[in-house]
Amino acid sequence: MNTRKLSIITGTSYLIIFFAAIFANFVMLESLKQDPLETIRLNHMAVRFGILAFLITVLFDVVVAWGLFELYRKHIYTRLSTYFRIMHAAIMGVAVFALVLTLNSDSAMDILHHVNVFEIIWLIGLFFFGAHLILLSSIIQRPKWITVFLLIAGIMYMIDTAAHFLLPNYSDFADVFLALVAVPSILGEMAFTVWLLVKGGKESK
């Protein structure tokens, strides 16, 4: 398979991850947090679709890992970067199990507990995802401004995870950490996705 096709497959997989994650996080997960019992009792299909959406992100995370490995397999850090992304996907897959347990819960406290377990496990996975982005910023090399955002995003993912466990008053700074992670991550990964779809592989071709 030529590099252009690989770039399109990888970029398309990234897009699927973005859209699935948006639905799972900002529709299903937020609904569970805001009104856990009503969501499970009256809108449980949205929870089921949200769980499926998270599984889809795991599936295509592996596809992205494969695509990036094939595109940049000659770089010395590519294999290690791939391992970190696969670790993130595997941990995320385990975390989703906690959301499945919410479907059989009959109290708001139990539902929120399962959601909290999911987020803690996912947070651990994001530590390894941050390591992947740091290495990826070195691997792709260009466009340079994209590599800078990927590097910053990777560092902030790792710092945010560490801060969750090291700072007793993390909640006081949660909004600041969220912005520090989200802005470079969205700019870097979305820009890289567009670059893969529009220009990726053309030079080699």
Side-chain angles (χ1 to χ4, degrees):
M1 186 181 297
N2 63 45
T3 54
R4 182 61 188 143
K5 288 183 179 178
L6 276 171
S7 293
I8 292 174
I9 291 172
T10 306
T12 302
S13 298
Y14 246 127
L15 279 181
I16 293 171
I17 290 172
F18 284 136
F19 288 118
I22 287 172
F23 170 75
N25 277 294
F26 299 109
V27 177
M28 185 273 284
L29 204 58
E30 283 302 312
S31 179
L32 273 179
K33 290 179 182 179
Q34 297 299 322
D35 202 338
L37 269 181
E38 183 174 342
T39 300
I40 292 297
R41 290 174 178 173
L42 303 179
N43 203 18
H44 66 94
M45 283 307 298
V47 178
R48 295 176 189 275
F49 279 117
I51 291 170
L52 179 60
F54 275 125
L55 291 176
I56 288 172
T57 67
V58 173
L59 174 66
F60 282 95
D61 222 15
V62 175
V63 176
V64 170
W66 165 77
L68 293 175
F69 178 80
E70 292 296 328
L71 284 169
Y72 301 103
R73 62 187 310 153
K74 293 181 179 180
H75 197 283
I76 189 173
Y77 295 138
T78 297
R79 189 176 297 273
L80 180 60
S81 174
T82 302
Y83 290 156
F84 282 134
R85 185 155 197 145
I86 293 295
M87 284 184 68
H88 163 257
I91 292 170
M92 180 65 176
V94 172
V96 173
F97 178 72
L99 294 178
V100 177
L101 297 178
T102 64
L103 296 170
N104 296 317
S105 299
D106 55 6
S107 75
M109 185 176 295
D110 284 344
I111 294 169
L112 292 175
H113 171 71
H114 294 315
V115 170
N116 187 52
V117 170
F118 165 77
E119 291 188 326
I120 290 173
I121 298 174
W122 184 16
L123 190 65
I124 294 170
L126 289 175
F127 188 82
F128 298 102
F129 184 70
H132 159 73
L133 289 184
I134 291 172
L135 292 173
L136 184 62
S137 70
S138 175
I139 292 167
I140 66 173
Q141 297 182 347
R142 65 179 191 274
K144 195 65 179 178
W145 67 273
I146 292 179
T147 68
V148 171
F149 279 116
L150 291 176
L151 174 63
I152 296 172
I155 292 172
M156 289 312 306
Y157 271 122
M158 299 183 78
I159 290 176
D160 183 54
T161 297
H164 266 85
F165 301 124
L166 295 177
L167 296 180
N169 60 336
Y170 175 86
S171 58
D172 295 340
F173 308 99
D175 291 340
V176 175
F177 277 108
L178 177 61
L180 290 174
V181 171
V183 173
S185 177
I186 292 172
L187 290 175
E189 290 189 84
M190 183 57 76
F192 183 47
T193 299
V194 173
W195 183 85
L196 283 169
L197 291 171
V198 176
K199 298 188 69 174
K202 287 186 177 180
E203 296 91 341
S204 300
K205 186 176 179 181

